[in-house]
Amino acid sequence: MPARRSTGRDPLRSARPAADPRATTVGVDLGGTKIAYAVVAADGRVIATHRHPTRAERGADAIVADLTRCLRECLGPRGRSAGAIGVGIAGQIDARGVVVSSPNLGWRAVPLEFLLAASAGLPVTVTNDLRAITYGEWKLGAGRGARDLVCVFVGTGVGGGIVADGRLRYGATNTAGEIGHTTLIAGGRRCHCPNRGCLEAYVGGWAIAERAREAVAADPARGRRLVRLAGRAEAISARTVARASAGGDPLARELVRTTGDYLAAGLVSVANAFDPARIVLGGGVLDGLPSLLPYVARRVRGAALGVVARRLRILPAALGGRAGVLGSAAMARLRLPGGI
Amino acid sequence: MPARRSTGRDPLRSARPAADPRATTVGVDLGGTKIAYAVVAADGRVIATHRHPTRAERGADAIVADLTRCLRECLGPRGRSAGAIGVGIAGQIDARGVVVSSPNLGWRAVPLEFLLAASAGLPVTVTNDLRAITYGEWKLGAGRGARDLVCVFVGTGVGGGIVADGRLRYGATNTAGEIGHTTLIAGGRRCHCPNRGCLEAYVGGWAIAERAREAVAADPARGRRLVRLAGRAEAISARTVARASAGGDPLARELVRTTGDYLAAGLVSVANAFDPARIVLGGGVLDGLPSLLPYVARRVRGAALGVVARRLRILPAALGGRAGVLGSAAMARLRLPGGI
């Protein structure tokens, strides 16, 4: 297995068992390009990590075999140090941990929770990745201590997770928190979902790229810098816009500002519908555009209902690149005996 | 007190005590024009009702005195038949039952829960009226048995209430459920709140009237029937639009159809963000436009995320004009010892 390891030995294998083996859990961030593992203590301390490429083109069976092998190594006689396993995965997961669909992996109807629980002999929880990250931010990150919290992640797509009155929310079909597919402009831009005018269709990375290409086509002279940075107009991405904006390009700056206006208008919906004490924002688009968060926070505070706005804090996600494994490991704790 | 009574005697006074006096509660629907009371059994059976005009212009003190007197009569030695009191009121209510603001009544910072509890000697819960109605629909009406439910009421304004994973949601400032102030068109029509382009600013009764008047101004020939029905263009209301639409007027029908499109786009946000098993729709606009609900339900099912849409049922509210008192009485049960 072409593993990239953070230490010379397999760190999962060499993980020193905690006093109570149930005190640790394994978090798995199962992405389209890489799979990351971490053995995590109850307080969020990372005891060991491991990662390897996904190579999704090999199909679900091969990937499940990789997962099984890596988890077995981690949980073998010498290293039995975890009480449960949590897996976060981008896609639609049902309440029994079946991956109904995961476009990144090309999976449909893979009963991952069942397969891993059988092979690992431990409780497993398989969750939408952004819900796992939300749970991690709530327990260990920027949401710590809040009873009402919505996390919104703006990357290529836009997703989120909800904590309401001190509980993670699942919804009737385990889909609660699809903030990216709330309507931002009725009848507006096409989305990848059946709706039109979704928040994601304006502020997701793919949508920023589309909007930028359209702006360049409409005014090629103004778009010259974006085209030069990307090589050609068709290659303009959200990253191109971020770079050009940082360099002071007027069109890119305008695109960033309108992205902020759109995101703020979407978050006003979140604020007024959910009445959270905190909105935690993360994801690649926000990481790439650090000016966006304070701008958006100011706009939301000015446009949400007064009583909601006065209480609301809008914060950046705190767990960074480890959010996936930390969140999944934290969710696995729910499957421990007496899990919290 | 100029009371309008549903029987010859004061029915609250003559209410036959139930076997366990705690088995009944009093629900109060405190509106801008009338105050309605009902003594309600645990199963939702109405034992007695009472109502009188609000006459809000007399100020909060006079109205609190009316409430106190009517409740005392209901709870006096001969009629002591209730274990708790619930009051539903349109406006912003804080978690301690202080009416922070109620535009219908012209109230600001009235500690209603405290005042009534002191005078009645019973537990009192004061709630936003639409949250009380949501609770009533959940316990006794169209939401019965659902664990995930959003109620949306489209009257002059638009509001709602949320049940998630089997619990009524309050939010961080007791404001959760302000579905009317979610963004429908970013940067769109002015709302009465600080946001622009709110759902309410398109489908609330006041907004339908505004949109109709604008359409008439833009094309007076097409608007002739609406003007004739209303007497003059400035008097066109949502009710005028409903009447003209029922009569086949093309402009009115177009206004109704776009209202349906807007409402559907707003409810797609509700469906995808909350993932409810049911959306319950009520309020004067929907009552006045019976064709709207099936049209909206079809549109939402076509535009929400597939997995959500397949599970989702969109139903009309079932409690009708009694929803306010029934919902408030049901919420009062939460204040009973061991309240459910």
Side-chain angles (χ1 to χ4, degrees):
Chain A
M1 188 182 55
R4 183 148 64 86
R5 286 164 180 173
S6 57
T7 68
R9 292 183 303 164
D10 182 337
L12 293 189
R13 213 177 164 126
S14 63
R16 200 155 36 101
D20 174 4
R22 289 180 175 151
T24 64
T25 54
V26 186
V28 181
D29 181 359
L30 175 44
T33 57
K34 66 163 177 53
I35 305 178
Y37 305 72
V39 180
V40 181
D43 61 1
R45 196 169 34 98
V46 175
I47 295 170
T49 64
H50 178 60
R51 64 195 287 174
H52 60 82
T54 308
R55 297 191 295 147
E57 69 286 356
R58 294 173 304 152
D61 287 350
I63 293 165
V64 171
D66 282 357
L67 284 166
T68 301
R69 191 167 52 246
C70 288
L71 287 165
R72 196 174 292 145
E73 282 182 30
C74 148
L75 299 164
R78 288 183 50 206
R80 182 176 295 283
S81 62
I85 296 160
V87 183
I89 179 168
Q92 169 65 33
I93 320 291
D94 83 1
R96 293 193 168 128
V98 176
V99 181
V100 178
S101 77
S102 175
N104 292 358
L105 294 164
W107 286 11
R108 282 206 161 269
V110 176
L112 188 62
E113 193 166 298
F114 172 81
L115 293 170
L116 289 183
S119 65
L122 276 182
V124 175
T125 182
V126 175
T127 323
N128 173 274
D129 59 343
L130 297 186
R131 189 178 298 151
I133 291 176
T134 296
Y135 192 78
E137 288 288 343
W138 181 38
K139 290 293 178 187
L140 304 165
R144 227 163 162 161
R147 282 185 60 80
D148 291 273
L149 168 79
V150 179
C151 290
V152 180
F153 300 94
V154 185
T156 301
V158 178
I162 302 156
V163 172
D165 287 335
R167 289 171 156 213
L168 190 65
R169 303 269 67 105
Y170 297 85
T173 69
N174 209 29
T175 312
E178 286 286 4
I179 307 296
H181 301 288
T182 55
T183 303
L184 182 73
I185 295 187
R189 298 180 69 87
R190 283 216 168 278
C191 189
H192 298 155
C193 83
N195 194 25
R196 292 194 77 118
C198 288
L199 177 60
E200 176 172 310
Y202 290 85
V203 308
W206 65 265
I208 295 173
E210 265 189 27
R211 288 168 43 224
R213 284 179 226 128
E214 289 167 15
V216 167
D219 190 345
R222 245 184 125 210
R224 216 172 301 153
R225 185 151 174 188
L226 280 169
V227 175
R228 198 169 58 233
L229 273 173
R232 58 201 168 85
E234 300 72 36
I236 292 170
S237 66
R239 201 179 298 261
T240 319
V241 175
R243 280 176 59 203
S245 171
D249 177 60
L251 175 56
R253 295 185 70 148
E254 187 185 307
L255 285 161
V256 171
R257 200 188 62 245
T258 51
T259 301
D261 292 340
Y262 287 136
L263 180 55
L267 295 181
V268 169
S269 298
V270 169
N272 291 345
F274 290 97
D275 185 16
R278 296 186 211 165
I279 294 176
V280 173
L281 296 178
V285 165
L286 284 150
D287 294 345
L289 293 165
S291 67
L292 214 49
L293 193 139
Y295 178 78
V296 165
R298 204 164 53 241
R299 303 269 305 178
V300 174
R301 272 195 293 270
L305 293 168
V307 62
V308 174
R310 277 191 290 281
R311 173 73 185 270
L312 180 64
R313 292 169 64 201
I314 300 179
L315 301 167
L319 301 183
R322 285 179 151 185
V325 288
L326 285 174
S328 298
M331 282 208 71
R333 304 196 70 77
L334 296 169
R335 294 291 167 99
L336 295 179
I340 42 144
Chain B
M1 185 181 57
R4 183 150 64 85
R5 286 166 182 173
S6 56
T7 69
R9 292 183 303 165
D10 182 339
L12 293 188
R13 212 176 167 129
S14 63
R16 198 154 39 99
D20 175 3
R22 287 179 176 151
T24 63
T25 53
V26 186
V28 182
D29 182 359
L30 174 44
T33 57
K34 66 163 176 55
I35 305 177
Y37 306 73
V39 180
V40 181
D43 61 1
R45 197 169 32 98
V46 174
I47 296 169
T49 63
H50 178 60
R51 63 196 288 172
H52 60 82
T54 308
R55 297 191 294 147
E57 69 285 355
R58 294 173 304 151
D61 287 350
I63 293 166
V64 171
D66 282 356
L67 284 167
T68 301
R69 190 168 51 246
C70 289
L71 287 166
R72 197 173 291 145
E73 282 180 29
C74 148
L75 300 164
R78 288 182 50 205
R80 183 178 296 283
S81 62
I85 297 160
V87 183
I89 180 168
Q92 169 66 33
I93 320 292
D94 82 2
R96 293 195 169 127
V98 175
V99 181
V100 178
S101 77
S102 175
N104 292 359
L105 294 164
W107 286 11
R108 285 204 159 271
V110 176
L112 188 63
E113 192 166 298
F114 172 81
L115 294 170
L116 289 182
S119 65
L122 276 182
V124 174
T125 181
V126 175
T127 323
N128 173 275
D129 58 343
L130 296 187
R131 189 178 298 151
I133 292 175
T134 296
Y135 193 78
E137 288 288 343
W138 181 39
K139 290 293 178 188
L140 304 166
R144 227 163 161 160
R147 284 184 60 80
D148 291 273
L149 169 78
V150 180
C151 290
V152 180
F153 300 94
V154 185
T156 302
V158 178
I162 301 156
V163 172
D165 288 336
R167 288 171 157 213
L168 190 65
R169 303 269 66 106
Y170 297 85
T173 68
N174 208 29
T175 312
E178 286 285 5
I179 307 297
H181 301 287
T182 55
T183 304
L184 183 74
I185 296 187
R189 298 179 69 88
R190 284 214 169 279
C191 189
H192 297 156
C193 84
N195 194 24
R196 291 194 78 117
C198 288
L199 176 60
E200 176 173 309
Y202 291 85
V203 307
W206 64 264
I208 295 173
E210 263 189 28
R211 286 170 42 225
R213 285 180 226 129
E214 289 168 17
V216 167
D219 189 345
R222 247 185 125 209
R224 216 171 301 152
R225 185 152 174 185
L226 280 169
V227 174
R228 199 171 55 234
L229 273 172
R232 57 200 168 87
E234 301 71 38
I236 292 170
S237 67
R239 201 178 297 261
T240 319
V241 174
R243 280 176 59 202
S245 171
D249 179 62
L251 176 56
R253 294 184 71 147
E254 186 186 307
L255 285 162
V256 171
R257 201 188 60 246
T258 51
T259 300
D261 293 339
Y262 288 137
L263 181 55
L267 295 182
V268 170
S269 297
V270 169
N272 291 345
F274 291 97
D275 185 17
R278 295 185 212 166
I279 294 176
V280 172
L281 297 178
V285 165
L286 285 150
D287 294 344
L289 293 166
S291 67
L292 214 51
L293 193 141
Y295 178 78
V296 165
R298 205 164 53 241
R299 304 270 306 179
V300 173
R301 273 196 293 269
L305 293 168
V307 63
V308 174
R310 277 191 290 282
R311 172 75 183 269
L312 181 64
R313 293 169 64 202
I314 300 180
L315 302 166
L319 301 183
R322 285 181 150 182
V325 288
L326 285 175
S328 298
M331 284 208 69
R333 304 195 70 76
L334 296 168
R335 295 291 167 98
L336 294 179
I340 42 144

